[in-house]
Amino acid sequence: MKAMQIAEGVYWVGAIDWNLRNFHGYETEKGSTYNAYLILDEKVTLIDTVKEGFAEEMLSRIRSVIDPAKIDVIISNHAEPDHSGCIPAVLEVAKNAKVYAAAGAGQKDLAAYYGDIGCIGVKAGETLSLGKRTLTFVPTPMVHWPDNMVSFMTPENILFSNDAFGQHYASDERLDTECDLPEAYIQARKYYANIVQPYGMQTAKALAACANLPIQTICPSHGIIWTKHIPDILALYKSWTSNEYDDTAIVVFDTMWHSTEAMAHAIENAFLACGLKPRLYNLHYCHNSDVIADAMTAKYIAVGSPTLNNNMMPSVASFLTYFKGLTGNKKKFIAFGSYGWGGQSPQQVYDQLTACKAEALLPAIKIAYKPSEAQLEQITEDVVTAIKAAN
Ligand code: FEO
């Protein structure tokens, strides 16, 4: 397999994972790439590696330009195994290569995974001369692990940003100028929502730390490389880290005999009446990670579950657990659901959403067996009244 040159002496030597469909619970319907970058200078340098199992693909791309045994430096911007997994394989062939990672967390994490590999710690603002080029290291802790850092290379002004600005998007095109750009933005949003969103404050700090760098290329560790559209992806990140709302409202539910579904539509009607753009997700058909991507910028979320054996349905419990771990902005919520007897689920949903630091618009809504037309109209009216009162 071949390396792809992205600047004079700078190559993409990563791996394309066309088959990836799940990244620890995140549905990756477009696969992914693990991006590693090779710099030919007095010190031959590899920025990150690839996931274990893809070593030969990466090494063959490196071999297409240089003998991998000549690698002098490995920069580990992030120890998560999708990027560090092949450090041992590279050290196997590049016996004298030195590994650099964030001082403290990066060294600790790499030692936990791979034992003593003599990792050298680098601190904020520290530089490493490669010959004609210099790398400057900028820690970006909790974007999205404690060890994360980015590396900025002059004189080409390339930011190796690791997970930041990435997308789970397998493609043979490497650049934003040649890929399916709308798809790249969709996947960048989904990536941010599912990976980075809980760390919006830390990401905003990382953006500020990089704000004065004259970035000409952003090379993330997943997906396509940003060249022409850097202002656009930076603007999107600024908006996402600012927890800005749009005019969508999310209705998430599961249903047994369509009663909770009918209630979902009554709430949809209320959102429409308030000038919002409702989006409905039946969890029987929709994946949590897609709902999260859409929910990120919504101000309102309604979550409904029938009562099943004194509990909410497992699909709704799964969604709420996922939502609790990821939600970045503060939403206003509605909990609802139908029941035959018992009827515990709407209050359980209410309590879970309260634990997500969301704010209830009104008490949990519950209807026995099948809602009548009058009850559905009442739900719509109550939700409209609650939204107007909250604004
Ligand atoms: Fe792509 Fe946090 O690893």
Side-chain angles (χ1 to χ4, degrees):
M1 296 205 181
K2 300 279 185 215
M4 198 208 94
Q5 182 163 293
I6 53 176
E8 181 72 33
V10 183
Y11 297 86
W12 176 86
V13 290
I16 306 173
D17 192 349
W18 294 100
N19 296 331
L20 186 76
R21 288 295 177 271
N22 188 297
F23 191 87
H24 44 59
Y26 168 169
E27 189 171 68
T28 50
E29 71 278 5
K30 294 288 179 183
S32 194
T33 67
Y34 314 110
N35 297 341
Y37 300 95
L38 180 72
I39 301 151
L40 300 187
D41 207 318
E42 286 166 29
K43 285 181 183 149
V44 176
T45 299
L46 185 64
I47 308 274
D48 289 316
T49 67
V50 296
K51 188 174 163 184
E52 191 177 15
F54 290 86
E56 188 43 40
E57 180 172 342
M58 175 188 66
L59 289 169
S60 71
R61 292 189 197 279
I62 295 171
R63 257 184 244 116
S64 72
V65 284
I66 196 169
D67 179 355
K70 293 186 174 164
I71 293 171
D72 300 298
V73 169
I74 303 169
I75 304 295
S76 175
N77 279 326
H78 178 28
E80 194 165 7
D82 49 332
H83 309 299
S84 68
C86 288
I87 289 178
V90 177
L91 290 175
E92 202 50 37
V93 291
K95 305 270 185 215
N96 297 318
K98 298 266 184 291
V99 181
Y100 294 78
Q107 292 171 290
K108 177 169 112 358
D109 292 358
L110 288 179
Y113 280 117
Y114 310 111
D116 182 9
I117 54 171
C119 177
I120 299 162
V122 291
K123 295 186 174 155
E126 205 168 308
T127 59
L128 179 67
S129 172
L130 308 182
K132 293 188 198 113
R133 303 174 178 86
T134 301
L135 288 173
T136 301
F137 303 106
V138 181
T140 53
M142 297 317 297
V143 183
H144 64 122
W145 275 24
D147 74 302
N148 277 93
M149 68 174 190
V150 299
S151 304
F152 183 67
M153 188 173 78
T154 51
E156 289 91 347
N157 296 331
I158 298 175
L159 183 71
F160 297 100
S161 64
N162 199 267
D163 281 332
F165 311 115
Q167 331 96 51
H168 281 314
Y169 174 31
S171 155
D172 271 319
E173 299 82 46
R174 296 272 61 82
L175 304 180
D176 57 351
T177 49
E178 54 191 20
C179 74
D180 176 353
L181 193 59
E183 185 65 45
Y185 285 134
I186 288 168
Q187 295 304 330
R189 177 187 171 109
K190 185 171 179 182
Y191 190 93
Y192 182 91
N194 282 277
I195 302 275
V196 186
Q197 187 180 189
Y199 311 109
M201 204 187 303
Q202 293 89 338
T203 309
K205 276 189 198 158
L207 288 175
C210 297
N212 295 326
L213 301 174
I215 301 168
Q216 288 180 321
T217 308
I218 296 178
C219 290
S221 289
H222 298 288
I224 60 109
I225 294 166
W226 302 101
T227 57
K228 185 176 167 197
H229 298 282
I230 290 172
D232 305 316
I233 190 69
L234 287 176
L236 286 171
Y237 260 65
K238 187 157 187 285
S239 133
W240 296 333
T241 57
S242 306
N243 291 322
E244 287 174 6
Y245 299 112
D246 58 21
D247 55 358
T248 59
I250 302 296
V251 186
V252 187
F253 64 96
D254 205 339
T255 194
M256 290 167 66
W257 295 105
H258 303 293
S259 295
T260 300
E261 185 173 23
M263 296 170 77
H265 287 298
I267 294 167
E268 175 191 10
N269 289 339
F271 285 144
L272 279 170
C274 293
L276 295 159
K277 292 178 179 159
R279 306 279 185 258
L280 268 68
Y281 303 88
N282 181 333
L283 291 169
H284 185 73
Y285 304 104
C286 303
H287 196 272
N288 287 342
S289 54
D290 289 313
V291 183
I292 288 292
D294 286 356
M296 179 168 70
T297 45
K299 188 170 187 177
Y300 300 96
I301 183 165
V303 179
S305 175
T307 297
L308 175 69
N309 301 326
N310 300 328
N311 279 296
M312 68 179 91
M313 288 185 75
S315 55
V316 180
S318 164
F319 170 75
L320 287 171
T321 300
Y322 198 64
F323 179 73
K324 186 178 178 202
L326 286 170
T327 187
N329 56 17
K330 191 168 173 163
K331 299 188 190 300
K332 295 187 189 299
F333 78 82
I334 300 157
F336 65 100
S338 66
Y339 66 102
W341 59 99
Q344 295 92 337
S345 63
Q347 189 59 44
Q348 290 170 355
V349 170
Y350 183 103
D351 292 343
Q352 288 275 342
L353 285 166
T354 304
C356 299
K357 298 193 176 65
E359 186 186 331
L361 274 171
L362 66 185
I365 306 170
K366 56 196 270 188
I367 300 278
Y369 292 105
K370 184 179 177 185
S372 66
E373 282 307 312
Q375 284 174 314
L376 292 172
E377 282 169 20
Q378 189 63 52
I379 289 173
T380 303
E381 192 181 318
D382 290 348
V383 172
V384 168
T385 303
I387 290 174
K388 285 184 178 162
N391 285 295

